[in-house]
Amino acid sequence: MTASSAGRPSRIEIDASALRANAAALVRTVAPSALCAAVKANGYGHGAVTAARAAVDGGAAWLAVATIDEGRELRSAGLDVPILLLSDPAPDGDEALIDADLVPVVSTVESVQRIGAAARRAGRTVRAHLKVDTGMHRVGATVAEALAVADALRDTDGLFLDGVCTHLARADEDDPAPTDRQLDAFREVLARLRASGHRPTLVHAANSAGSIRFPSARFDMCRCGIALYGIRPAVGVALPDGVAPALRLVSAVSAVRSVAAGESVGYGGRFVSDAGTTIATVPVGYGDGVPRSLGLVGGEVLIDGRRRPIAGVVSMDQLTVATNGEVAVGDEVVLLGAQRGERITPEDWAAKLGTIGYEIVCGLSARLPRVVVAGPADSVGR
């Protein structure tokens, strides 16, 4: 049988009320520090504008993005809170950065001078945040270089030092020692800056895990990303009370067929029926962000509130499910989220695939429409 619907039923449902509640819970958790909501990577797959609006409604004072285009999207949607650009912009992005009224993170004297020159050409004064590398070793001024960059910010017309930040590399791990070392190095930098007369308005270091597990890392502001979406930063990190998943990945059965014992299903014949089996086809696949190998590592979907195994490899546009004859064309299929009291989470996928929940939700394709729903009626992840 083939589904009669002309449209493709696969979609992502976003509960904006859950995102608002999550932001409010994080605001309470980090108080009196401010909350900066990270909405990069299309709001971790939830839709950047939807996530940003909900976060601000929930009390977030700042937003954070990874690219200038992400910041432009938020400005175009009417969001007027401060937006932190988390990486030094490329030289050809300075004018766009200033035009979008973004707050850049800077880590070199060269970038300070370059952005300052662009700000002067635009007749603007831009606030910037100095990024210090205390152990991530990815970007940022070293502890030894930080004072020189801060001095350049003070001495460059068109730019001024509004904040100082670092990024915690291992705050989600059980051992607190690496994070404590980073925080010690960061405090050393702050002391040097203050001794030289620098008085940044905002000091920030904590990501979601740091905000939850290290109160001493909260400083003036916390940059929360994954926790905003109701997903744990790591298995051992509990989310604050009131934080819940806000996303469902939903489709519907498009075809049902019987497969005899010994017959294989899908590319490569990786699923072989050991008895007569009913196979349901679902029109969603790795082109939508469902990992191709999910069925090979025990991935499941929910149909009628019951877990059903994905059969074989996931195709680009479709996957197959072993169902034992209890489903019909049109039945709702939930890949992520809740259905009738049962739930599959991004962490469930991540555990099977050897990755993290961040990668799962950020990997959900733009091909999937994001639909904002009114609230949980078994509808999202609660």
Side-chain angles (χ1 to χ4, degrees):
M1 301 192 302
T2 303
S4 59
S5 172
R8 189 170 184 253
S10 303
R11 65 195 183 277
I12 294 174
E13 295 178 350
I14 307 296
D15 182 357
S17 65
L19 291 172
R20 280 193 300 274
N22 292 349
L26 291 167
V27 167
R28 292 192 297 270
T29 298
V30 305
S33 302
L35 174 66
C36 175
V39 295
K40 59 184 179 173
N42 195 27
Y44 290 51
H46 292 65
V49 172
T50 297
R53 286 176 174 158
V56 171
D57 288 346
W62 282 65
L63 299 170
V65 297
T67 70
I68 293 170
D69 283 344
E70 289 177 341
R72 282 171 153 173
E73 180 184 10
L74 300 183
R75 291 294 188 224
S76 296
L79 287 146
D80 59 3
V81 299
I83 300 176
L84 187 66
L85 180 65
L86 291 167
S87 301
D88 291 84
D92 62 358
D94 294 338
E95 283 75 15
L97 155 76
I98 294 164
D99 183 64
D101 191 25
L102 306 182
V103 179
V105 165
V106 297
S107 58
T108 67
V109 171
E110 292 76 14
S111 63
V112 168
Q113 294 172 340
R114 193 190 71 235
I115 297 170
R120 292 192 299 274
R121 290 194 297 271
R124 300 275 293 277
T125 299
V126 175
R127 52 181 168 174
H129 288 209
L130 166 61
K131 175 71 171 288
V132 183
D133 177 15
T134 58
M136 184 76 172
H137 300 324
R138 187 177 59 182
V139 295
T142 66
V143 171
E145 296 166 342
L147 182 56
V149 180
D151 287 345
L153 281 164
R154 180 183 57 200
D155 299 337
T156 300
D157 292 337
L159 207 59
F160 71 94
L161 179 65
D162 179 59
V164 180
C165 61
T166 193
H167 190 65
L168 302 177
R170 299 171 65 178
D172 57 349
E173 297 180 1
D174 291 338
D175 182 5
T179 298
D180 289 337
R181 288 193 293 271
Q182 281 196 259
L183 292 173
D184 287 344
F186 190 48
R187 292 188 188 96
E188 177 186 340
V189 170
L190 295 173
R192 291 183 187 178
L193 294 175
R194 287 166 181 148
S196 296
H198 295 288
R199 298 289 184 269
T201 303
L202 289 173
V203 174
H204 48 109
N207 50 13
S208 289
S211 300
I212 295 166
R213 299 189 62 236
F214 293 89
S216 64
R218 291 173 185 163
F219 296 101
D220 302 311
M221 186 166 75
C222 294
R223 306 183 308 268
C224 292
I226 199 70
L228 176 67
Y229 307 100
I231 300 169
R232 290 176 295 167
V235 173
V237 180
L239 294 173
D241 290 342
V243 174
L247 174 151
R248 278 207 322 167
L249 172 53
V250 183
S251 190
V253 174
S254 59
V256 179
R257 69 193 63 249
S258 296
V259 175
E263 289 193 282
S264 65
V265 175
Y267 287 117
R270 300 295 295 275
F271 176 87
V272 179
S273 175
D274 58 5
T277 304
T278 299
I279 296 293
T281 300
V282 184
V284 64
Y286 65 76
D288 303 292
V290 182
R292 184 175 184 271
S293 62
L294 185 60
L296 305 181
V297 295
E300 298 169 312
V301 304
L302 298 176
I303 303 176
D304 196 27
R306 293 174 55 190
R307 290 176 176 264
R308 318 288 182 117
I310 297 172
V313 297
V314 173
S315 302
M316 182 181 291
D317 310 307
Q318 299 178 92
L319 58 80
T320 48
V321 180
T323 65
N324 297 321
E326 300 170 355
V327 299
V329 168
D331 283 354
E332 181 186 71
V333 179
V334 175
L335 291 89
L336 291 171
Q339 186 189 62
R340 300 194 181 185
E342 186 61 82
R343 181 169 67 191
I344 296 173
T345 68
E347 295 98 323
D348 291 336
W349 283 20
K352 294 178 185 299
L353 294 161
T355 185
I356 55 177
Y358 300 71
E359 185 177 1
I360 299 304
V361 289
C362 289
L364 296 175
S365 168
R367 184 167 79 169
L368 290 165
R370 270 68 173 170
V371 180
V372 180
V373 298
D378 195 37
S379 62
V380 191
R382 295 175 183 270

